Every structure is written in C-alpha cells, then in structure tokens.
Amino acid sequence: MTLRDFWVRLTLRGVHFTNRHAQLNQLYRAKDPWNLDTPREKYRFTETNRLIQSAFGRPNKLLEIGCGEGIQSRYLREICNELYGIDVAARAVERAKESLPDCKFEAATLETSTLARKEAPFDLVIAAEVLYYISDVRASLELMESLGAACFVTYYEKMATKLDPIILERKNVRTAKFAREGTSWTACWWNTD
C-alpha cells in the first residue's frame, strides 16, 4: 500500500452512510483520489453508458449526483445532450468545470442544489457509486425521483446488503450486474411516473 492509498483510507474512515462532506472535500487534495483512471473503472463507465443507452436511448438532460472531478462525467457527456453535475466537494467541482466547460456543475448536496431545482425536470438522474456516502438514502432517492423522469444508480457489491432493500422497493426497478478484475457492481434503473 502506498502512502497515498493509506491517506485515502484514513480520510474515508467513517464516511459510509453519513453526511461527512468535509472529509470528502479533503479527499480531493489529491487528484483522482478514487483511482478512476484505471482499466477497471473505465470498464465500469463504459458499461454504465451501455446500460443507460439500452434503457433510455439518449437522454436530453442528465443530472449526475456525485460528479466528483468529472472523470465519469466525460463518459456520460457522450450519451446525453446536456450534462449537469453536483458534488459536495468544492475542490472536485472546480476540476470538473475546467475539464468540461460545456457542462454545468455545482458544489452542493442534492438537498441544497439550486442548479438541480432550477434545471429540473431531467430525463435521467444518475447516482453512480455515491449512495453509500449519504446518510438517508431513501430520502435521497425520493428527491432524485422528484427531479427527473427516470433514475439510474450503481453501487459495488460490498454495499448491496445495505442498498438492495432500499432500492428494490422502488416501483418497476430493473437491475443488471457486471464485474471486472474482482470487483462487481449492481446497476438499478426505473422510471419515476
């Protein structure tokens, strides 16, 4: 384990299913703290795009919850006409704005986002790998549903025990699983009407 990896693990201690936004912002003192620029994560982004396109075609307006510094946003931008993103980490949002100047980003929570409320309704609201950094997942899903015609979430298999019961209680949820290099993910999507 590198010193950087140790620092990331230490910074992330105790953040699951809480609203410890300061810790997540602190994490972005490092560039790409999640190691998203790897073949495994690029596969996840590509598979997410494939599932979105299969289920929804090309969304006109897409809202990405937890956009981070815009690494997955670059992939999502390829499959929609307009991309909006919010993240609790202001440092990350500044990098996303630099990386994708044709998209709109805001440093905010889902609950406090003026961008999300102003631009709603969205064709699709996506939360990829972020639900486990939110204290009230059920309330966040309801808020996502109020902002768009459809929702799409992904999470890694280790969190399925906690998230499956909350997500699968939504109406008409469709699911898929995919894996690469020993990591498995669940994708869930549904229409909100």
Side-chain angles (χ1 to χ4, degrees), residues 3-27:
L3 181 59
R4 180 180 186 265
D5 292 339
F6 176 76
W7 176 79
V8 167
R9 283 188 179 190
L10 186 64
T11 304
L12 287 175
R13 185 171 288 171
V15 299
H16 289 123
F17 301 104
T18 67
N19 286 336
R20 296 189 177 170
H21 304 146
Q23 281 177 258
L24 294 172
N25 192 47
Q26 179 76 8
L27 192 63

Side-chain angles (χ1 to χ4, degrees), residues 95-132:
R95 291 182 196 149
K97 288 177 179 179
E98 290 172 15
S99 175
L100 293 160
D102 64 325
C103 302
K104 294 181 182 171
F105 297 99
E106 178 186 32
T109 66
L110 184 56
E111 295 78 15
T112 64
S113 174
T114 56
L115 177 68
R117 285 192 308 277
K118 179 180 136 197
E119 296 296 336
F122 295 92
D123 298 296
L124 182 63
V125 180
I126 177 174
E129 307 303 306
V130 298
L131 292 178
Y132 22 86

Side-chain angles (χ1 to χ4, degrees), residues 46-124:
T46 301
E47 190 63 13
T48 298
N49 278 11
R50 184 189 69 75
L51 290 168
I52 289 171
Q53 289 177 297
S54 176
F56 304 107
R58 183 178 180 87
N60 184 45
K61 288 174 66 174
L62 189 150
L63 174 63
E64 180 186 11
I65 310 301
C67 64
E69 54 197 335
I71 295 173
Q72 185 166 7
S73 307
R74 288 192 297 259
Y75 286 78
L76 293 171
R77 180 65 184 99
E78 295 173 5
I79 63 163
C80 68
N81 295 330
E82 298 175 41
L83 179 66
Y84 301 82
I86 60 173
D87 198 286
V88 298
R91 285 184 183 103
V93 169
E94 288 309 310
R95 291 182 196 149
K97 288 177 179 179
E98 290 172 15
S99 175
L100 293 160
D102 64 325
C103 302
K104 294 181 182 171
F105 297 99
E106 178 186 32
T109 66
L110 184 56
E111 295 78 15
T112 64
S113 174
T114 56
L115 177 68
R117 285 192 308 277
K118 179 180 136 197
E119 296 296 336
F122 295 92
D123 298 296
L124 182 63

Side-chain angles (χ1 to χ4, degrees), residues 140-167:
S140 292
L141 291 173
E142 290 169 6
L143 186 49
M144 288 172 61
E145 290 171 344
S146 75
L147 294 170
C151 295
F152 187 99
V153 300
T154 65
Y155 46 96
Y156 69 103
E157 208 55 39
K158 187 176 178 182
M159 295 297 178
T161 304
K162 176 91 172 173
L163 292 174
D164 279 352
I166 299 168
I167 294 167

